[in-house]
Amino acid sequence: MNYKNILLTGMIGLGLTPACTPEKKEIKPNVLFFLVDDMGWMDAGYQGSKFYETPNIDQLAEQGVQFTNAYATHPRCVPSRYSLITGKYPARAQMPGSGEGKLRPGDEGKLKAEELCLADALKAGGYSTFFAGKWHLATSGTFPQHVGFDINIAGGHAGSPISYFYPYNEGKQAGKKNPIEGLDEGTKGEYLTDRITEETVEYIESHVTNHPDQPFLAYVSHYAVHEPLEAKEEYVNKFKQKLKFMSYEMPEFIEEGTGTTKMRQDDPVYAAMIYSMDESLGRITKTLEKLGQLDNTIIIFFSDNGGLSNRGFRPRRVATSNYPLRAGKGHLYEGGVREPMIVKWPGVTKAGTKSDAIVTGTDFFPTILEMAGLPLQQEAHVDGESFAWALTRDKVPKKDRAIFWHSPISRPHATGDENCSAIRKGPYKLIEWYDEDRIELYDLEKDIQEKDNIAGENPKLVKELLVELTDWKKEVNAYIKV
C-alpha cells in the first residue's frame, strides 16, 4: 500500500485548523534535527568527558532535556538512520540482510521512494524541508528529494567522505569509495563540517527572509565524526597540547569479543573533529537567534550509533572510548547503541532537566509530528512511540516498554562483534547470541557496564524476555543468515 498517497490526500486542508483561522494564525515550531555520525555516549563535556570540548552541546544540555536512556535501533549507521526517518525497526526491511543478490554492509537500497517518511509528513503539513549531509540510505533512486525533502545538499549514497577537506572526492582512495554528490564546487581546503554548516545557515537565512510565516525542518546530518579521522590543524594542535596534561587510570585497550576495546579518550584529531562539530551547532543556533527564530525552534541532538572504540583482528585506528559503557560501534552492548540525546522545546521543556524515559530511533518520527501539532501516521511509523510526554513539565509515568535490536551481519574482522539480537524492558537487557546458543542478561540500573551476567540467576525472566524477543523477530521477519 502506498501510504504516501493516503497521507497527501488525508492532510489536505491542514493549513487552516481551528487554531489557524483568518483571525488568529497558528505559528508552528521550526525543527532542527542535528544528527552526528558515530558520536559516542561519553563524547561530550556534559556527559563527563575531560578531554573533548563541546561548549555549545553543553549549553544545549543546560537549556533542554537530557535523555539518559536514549538508543539507536542498530549499532551501525544505515539501519539506524533508516529508523530515524521511517519510524520502523530496520529488521522490518531486513536491514542489515542479504541485500539484492549479495551481502552489502547495512543494505543500502532498502529504502523505497514510496515509503512514507518524516519529511513527507511535515511537508504535507505545510513545512519547508531541508536536508544537508550524510544520507547513505540508498545506492540509487531514493535520496532525500525522493522522500519529502525540498532541498538536498550532499545527501547521496556515500557513507563517508574520501577527505574532509575540499576537494572531498579526490585522493588515493577515490577509486575505492563512493564520492559525495553535489559538492563538486568549493574552496580548496574548506572543511566538510563547516561546508554543511554554511549550507544550512544560508538555507535558514533565505527561508526566514522570504517565507517568514512557513515553518521549516532542517535535518543536519553530519558526516562527522565518522572516519577518516581528519581535522583542522589548529584544532589538532590545541588538543595535542591538552593531551600533555591528561592522565588515565584505564589501560589503553582491553579484550572484547574477537578483538579489543579502546578505553581512553586520547586522540587529538578526533577531539578536533568533535570541536568542529560542536562549533557547527553553535553557529546554527546563533543564526536562529539572530533571525528571531530560536524561541520558536525545536532542537534535537542525537547520534546514529555508538563511538568507534572497537577493532577486530584487522588492524585499524579507533577513535574514542565509551567507558563506562561496554564496547562500541558494531556491538549490542550499551557502548554500541546508547546515545547522547538532548531535546529543547521552547516554552515546553524545563531547562537542565533529565529524563530516564527509554526511547529509541523509531520514536522521533511520531514525536516530531506531535510537537508540530500534526496528525500521527500510525500506518507508517509502526514501531515508533511519541516521547513528547517526557518533554512536558507535568510528566506522567510511562509503563515499561520493550525495545529491540537485531544485528545479523557481524564484522568480527573490523569491530569484533558477533551475530546477536537483544531486548530491553524496564531495567533488564537480554542479549541472545543465537549462533552460539548463549544468553546474557543485565540489570542496567545496577550494572551499566554490563559486567555481571545474571541470566543463570533469573531463568524465569530469561524465558519471558527470550519469548518476547523471538516473537518480535518473527513478527518483523528479521533476516537470519543461514
Side-chain angles (χ1 to χ4, degrees):
M1 182 179 296
N2 192 330
Y3 293 115
K4 186 176 293 189
N5 289 341
I6 295 174
L7 168 81
L8 296 176
T9 301
M11 294 185 75
I12 290 175
L14 276 176
L16 290 176
T17 67
C20 182
T21 64
E23 292 78 24
K24 182 180 179 181
K25 187 171 184 179
E26 178 187 22
I27 301 176
K28 291 189 176 297
N30 308 310
V31 179
L32 169 63
F33 194 96
F34 194 96
L35 180 64
V36 189
D37 195 347
D38 283 6
M39 182 178 180
W41 193 61
M42 292 298 295
D43 287 354
Y46 86 93
Q47 286 288 80
S49 176
K50 302 300 184 184
F51 186 47
Y52 308 141
E53 296 180 15
T54 55
N56 295 293
I57 298 171
D58 299 346
Q59 182 179 44
L60 183 64
E62 292 175 359
Q63 297 172 343
V65 176
Q66 305 168 30
F67 282 79
T68 59
N69 285 293
Y71 288 95
T73 57
H74 193 273
R76 298 191 190 278
C77 54
V78 176
S80 172
R81 288 163 180 264
Y82 173 84
S83 294
L84 296 177
I85 65 161
T86 65
K88 298 183 179 74
Y89 281 115
R92 286 192 183 274
Q94 295 202 323
M95 296 173 64
S98 60
E100 296 171 2
K102 66 176 182 177
L103 295 178
R104 291 187 303 214
D107 277 10
E108 299 87 335
K110 289 297 183 75
L111 179 67
K112 305 302 179 186
E114 61 269 17
E115 193 154 11
L116 174 61
C117 295
L118 170 64
D120 289 313
L122 288 176
K123 184 175 181 178
Y127 276 69
S128 169
T129 52
F130 169 88
F131 181 94
K134 175 173 173 174
W135 184 243
H136 200 35
L137 287 173
T139 50
S140 63
T142 312
F143 295 147
Q145 64 269 29
H146 303 122
V147 288
F149 286 99
D150 297 317
I151 299 171
N152 170 28
I153 304 294
H157 57 290
S160 62
I162 294 168
S163 171
Y164 271 93
F165 293 96
Y166 184 84
Y168 311 112
N169 296 329
E170 293 183 7
K172 62 181 180 180
Q173 294 179 310
K176 298 181 180 180
K177 292 189 176 182
N178 297 325
I180 297 174
E181 292 137 328
L183 291 184
D184 295 330
E185 300 295 326
T187 303
K188 185 174 177 59
E190 72 181 9
Y191 194 56
L192 179 57
T193 303
D194 295 344
R195 175 67 180 274
I196 291 171
T197 306
E198 182 67 33
E199 296 282 356
T200 304
V201 166
E202 288 182 3
Y203 160 75
I204 293 173
E205 290 178 337
S206 175
H207 180 78
V208 171
T209 300
N210 295 305
H211 307 280
D213 296 328
Q214 184 186 25
F216 63 81
L217 164 68
Y219 198 112
V220 183
S221 177
H222 276 294
Y223 285 91
V225 287
H226 193 286
E227 297 173 296
L229 299 183
E230 296 177 345
K232 299 177 185 179
E233 184 177 1
E234 63 269 33
Y235 293 168
V236 175
N237 290 334
K238 165 186 169 69
F239 287 100
K240 281 182 177 178
Q241 290 300 312
K242 185 173 183 177
L243 186 60
K244 293 178 181 180
F245 300 95
M246 297 293 295
S247 61
Y248 299 92
E249 296 179 1
M250 302 297 293
E252 186 174 3
F253 288 93
I254 63 171
E255 293 185 0
E256 180 66 68
T258 61
T260 55
T261 298
K262 185 175 176 64
M263 300 300 287
R264 298 177 183 175
Q265 294 184 340
D266 62 0
D267 190 312
V269 178
Y270 184 77
M273 295 179 77
I274 289 277
Y275 194 70
S276 287
M277 178 273 299
D278 179 82
E279 279 190 330
S280 171
L281 178 64
R283 185 174 176 198
I284 295 170
T285 55
K286 286 180 176 61
T287 299
L288 291 168
E289 184 176 26
K290 179 186 72 174
L291 295 170
Q293 295 295 313
L294 189 59
D295 289 338
N296 190 44
T297 301
I298 295 164
I299 302 177
I300 300 172
F301 179 91
F302 195 60
S303 173
D304 63 348
N305 50 248
L308 178 61
S309 66
N310 286 77
R311 61 188 181 195
F313 52 77
R314 185 183 73 189
R316 71 183 302 187
R317 177 184 179 183
V318 290
T320 191
S321 170
N322 301 301
Y323 182 81
L325 303 186
R326 184 173 177 179
K329 179 177 180 178
H331 293 255
L332 290 188
Y333 290 120
E334 293 292 283
V337 290
R338 191 182 288 221
E339 308 304 329
M341 175 180 161
I342 307 165
V343 180
K344 178 187 175 186
W345 186 1
V348 178
T349 51
K350 185 177 180 181
T353 58
K354 293 184 179 182
S355 173
D356 61 1
I358 298 174
V359 301
T360 189
T362 59
D363 300 337
F364 290 103
F365 190 164
T367 303
I368 291 171
L369 289 183
E370 184 172 346
M371 290 192 291
L374 298 175
L376 300 185
Q377 303 297 323
Q378 300 290 358
E379 300 88 351
H381 48 72
V382 293
D383 297 311
E385 291 188 12
S386 173
F387 56 81
W389 63 271
L391 298 167
T392 62
R393 293 173 180 169
D394 298 322
K395 298 178 181 178
V396 296
K398 188 73 172 178
K399 65 180 180 180
D400 282 349
R401 164 217 189 175
I403 60 173
F404 304 91
W405 297 269
H406 182 58
S407 185
I409 305 294
S410 61
R411 301 188 198 177
H413 61 290
T415 47
D417 53 299
E418 299 289 349
N419 296 342
C420 59
S421 305
I423 175 175
R424 177 172 178 181
K425 191 171 187 179
Y428 296 105
K429 179 179 173 187
L430 178 143
I431 305 177
E432 177 197 17
W433 309 88
Y434 52 84
D435 287 343
E436 306 169 30
D437 194 25
R438 176 165 60 91
I439 298 293
E440 295 178 12
L441 178 68
Y442 300 99
D443 183 341
L444 295 177
E445 290 185 357
K446 298 178 181 178
D447 180 23
I448 196 172
Q449 297 184 46
E450 296 172 293
K451 285 184 173 181
D452 185 16
N453 179 11
I454 58 174
E457 306 160 29
N458 298 273
K460 182 179 178 182
L461 179 58
V462 166
K463 182 177 180 180
E464 291 173 354
L465 291 176
L466 188 57
V467 167
E468 192 165 357
L469 177 59
T470 301
D471 288 346
W472 172 78
K473 285 193 283 187
K474 291 178 181 177
E475 176 196 343
V476 300
N477 191 30
Y479 172 77
I480 302 289
K481 184 179 178 182
V482 295

